[in-house]
Amino acid sequence: MIKVVVVGGGWAGCAAALAASKAGAQVVLLERTDLLLGTGLVGGIFRNNGRFTAAEEAIAMGGGDLFVAMDANTRHRGIDFPGHSHASFYDVTTMEPLVKRILQNYGIDIKTCTRVSGVVKHGKKIQYLTDDNEQIINGDAFVDTTGTTGPMGNCLKYGNGCAMCILRCPTFGPRVSLTAKAEIKEIMGKKADGSYGAMSGSCKINKDSLSFELKAQLEKEGMVVIPLPENLKKTGMLGKKACSQYAIADYAENIVLIDTGHAKLMTPFFPLDMLRTIPGLERARYEDPYSGGVGNSIRYLGIAPCDSSLKVEGIDNLFCAGEKSGILVGHTEAVVTGLLAGNNAVRCCLDMQYLGLPPELASGDFIRFIHEQMTTEEGIRLRYTFSGSIYFERMKSLGLYSAERRDIMERINKAGLTDIYNTCLV
């Protein structure tokens, strides 16, 4: 039986494992921590703006399991907040067990607390991996979804030090890039000023540390906007954010809180003593990162060179997804790329033509556009997402954005891709 090994258990890795299993492979999913979902453990926002289109494309192609799970675990839906329409917020505190159960139901072998330490190649093919316990993990094809955040040294060099984020490098060891271990030179993303990396774009506050009134309003309405006094407006912080879709004046001039189970604060960090001067936040305490008053994690310092099939250049049986595959932002983006990488990993083993998503689909145009832009000095300084910034504007200009399910399903059907991810290839 064909065996696909996925390294990294975030949203992209979960989607890749799911797609490979549906295509007929035996799948092993390796995650270095004790939980799946990675930054999805503290994320929670989906279906906002063009992410609605991308999610419905994936559902129409037969890869909707994870989006259905998000929908089933939604705290609020149809929410408009600054710069975003018809958003849904899943509950980050209960999402992971639900996803794990879905993957197990597909027979995926999930190995947590498993950190890859070595890659053994023969020519341009990976033969097997080794972990920290010197165990050998064999596979026919491999998918790198290890992300671009960490290790701690990057947060120290390019940020404000380790902020003790959800990735928990001090406990489980630093992130290990499968691509780098395979001796492929990675790409480093830049900020607008030309320096490397970008800081994660939000923090989480314990909702019980809010005032009773503010907590009640947040849970009822799904989001709260609190104007900042002039002395606390932090306009210079927007250029540091990984999430460029939130780099607009509303987020510099206001505190924006979103209910994802925690109170999601839409800024990379905010000094705690200043935060506690704001009415309703006098007792505020950070849930993620624990040092959210000082800094946040640094991302985009280890991107794999790949093509639009998401095959990594220089290795014949290695694919990538999520942030590993480009300067992209978001859970939806991770799932969309993960589904494609997982399916193509199986096709690789069968010597089949790789699945390509056509430019008539938002997902296909998104992947191609990112890779084109990353070859330019200006493009490598931007971040790309279906939900805002440069790519959402492109979606609208090309007529790729739609919030109508029927239109999206017809588009997928016209491309001949209906239920493609539900097709067993083996």
Side-chain angles (χ1 to χ4, degrees), residues 8 50 52 124 151 214 221 234 253 260 262 267 313 358 421 425:
F52 184 97
K124 290 187 175 182
L214 182 55
E221 300 177 7
K234 309 185 77 60
E253 298 172 358
T260 60
H262 300 310
T267 184
E313 296 175 4
Y421 291 131
L425 304 174

Side-chain angles (χ1 to χ4, degrees), residues 254-276:
N254 302 281
I255 287 285
V256 179
L257 296 176
I258 290 173
D259 180 19
T260 60
H262 300 310
K264 187 178 179 76
L265 172 62
M266 305 302 288
T267 184
F269 64 93
F270 205 108
L272 187 60
D273 57 346
M274 296 182 183
L275 187 66
R276 286 179 168 179

Side-chain angles (χ1 to χ4, degrees), residues 63-321:
D65 304 67
L66 298 180
F67 290 115
V68 170
M70 292 185 212
D71 286 332
N73 200 33
T74 292
R75 295 183 65 89
H76 305 275
R77 65 185 74 240
I79 301 295
D80 296 337
F81 64 101
H84 299 263
S85 299
H86 50 71
S88 291
F89 308 145
Y90 69 73
D91 192 327
V92 298
T93 66
T94 56
M95 193 76 239
E96 193 266 353
L98 179 57
V99 171
K100 190 171 187 178
R101 188 160 61 249
I102 290 169
L103 299 186
Q104 289 171 332
N105 287 342
Y106 277 96
I108 295 165
D109 183 10
I110 302 169
K111 297 184 183 296
T112 55
C113 299
T114 302
R115 185 169 171 270
V116 170
S117 59
V119 173
V120 175
K121 298 189 298 179
H122 179 72
K124 290 187 175 182
K125 275 196 169 185
I126 295 175
Q127 298 296 302
Y128 62 86
L129 314 177
T130 57
D131 67 14
D132 279 350
N133 295 318
E134 300 183 0
Q135 297 295 308
I136 291 175
I137 301 115
N138 292 295
D140 299 301
F142 300 82
V143 185
D144 185 352
T145 55
T146 57
T148 63
T149 307
M152 290 167 60
N154 284 340
C155 292
L156 179 63
K157 183 175 181 180
Y158 300 104
N160 299 345
C162 175
M164 293 180 279
C165 75
I166 194 64
L167 300 182
R168 299 168 290 163
C169 297
T171 301
F172 296 102
R175 176 184 62 87
V176 176
S177 167
L178 187 56
T179 298
K181 285 286 184 182
E183 301 177 316
I184 300 300
K185 185 178 180 181
E186 296 181 309
I187 300 165
M188 294 180 68
K190 296 182 180 181
K191 294 195 284 284
D193 62 6
S195 59
Y196 289 111
M199 192 170 283
S200 288
S202 64
C203 306
K204 285 88 227 167
I205 297 171
N206 186 311
K207 281 200 298 187
D208 288 336
S209 71
L210 306 178
S211 70
F212 175 82
E213 294 78 12
L214 182 55
K215 179 184 177 183
Q217 182 183 1
L218 181 63
E219 292 186 333
K220 178 182 178 181
E221 300 177 7
M223 73 96 189
V224 174
V225 178
I226 306 171
L228 283 169
E230 199 65 37
N231 65 310
L232 294 185
K233 292 181 180 179
K234 309 185 77 60
T235 54
M237 196 178 291
L238 296 180
K240 301 178 182 180
K241 292 168 68 74
C243 307
S244 55
Q245 69 271 35
Y246 306 125
I248 58 178
D250 297 84
Y251 297 94
E253 298 172 358
N254 302 281
I255 287 285
V256 179
L257 296 176
I258 290 173
D259 180 19
T260 60
H262 300 310
K264 187 178 179 76
L265 172 62
M266 305 302 288
T267 184
F269 64 93
F270 205 108
L272 187 60
D273 57 346
M274 296 182 183
L275 187 66
R276 286 179 168 179
T277 66
I278 299 168
L281 294 166
E282 295 89 350
R283 300 178 299 146
R285 175 173 171 172
Y286 285 107
E287 287 286 327
D288 174 80
Y290 277 128
S291 299
V294 176
N296 213 320
S297 57
I298 298 297
R299 296 156 63 176
Y300 305 117
L301 294 173
I303 302 165
C306 63
D307 59 22
S308 292
S309 71
L310 303 185
K311 191 189 83 65
V312 176
E313 296 175 4
I315 302 292
D316 292 342
N317 62 341
L318 178 61
F319 296 79
C320 63

Side-chain angles (χ1 to χ4, degrees), residues 345-367:
V346 177
R347 289 170 180 265
C348 172
C349 300
L350 298 172
D351 291 326
M352 290 178 66
Q353 181 178 354
Y354 292 148
L355 175 63
L357 302 181
E360 291 78 21
L361 304 183
S363 303
D365 181 70
F366 180 71
I367 292 169

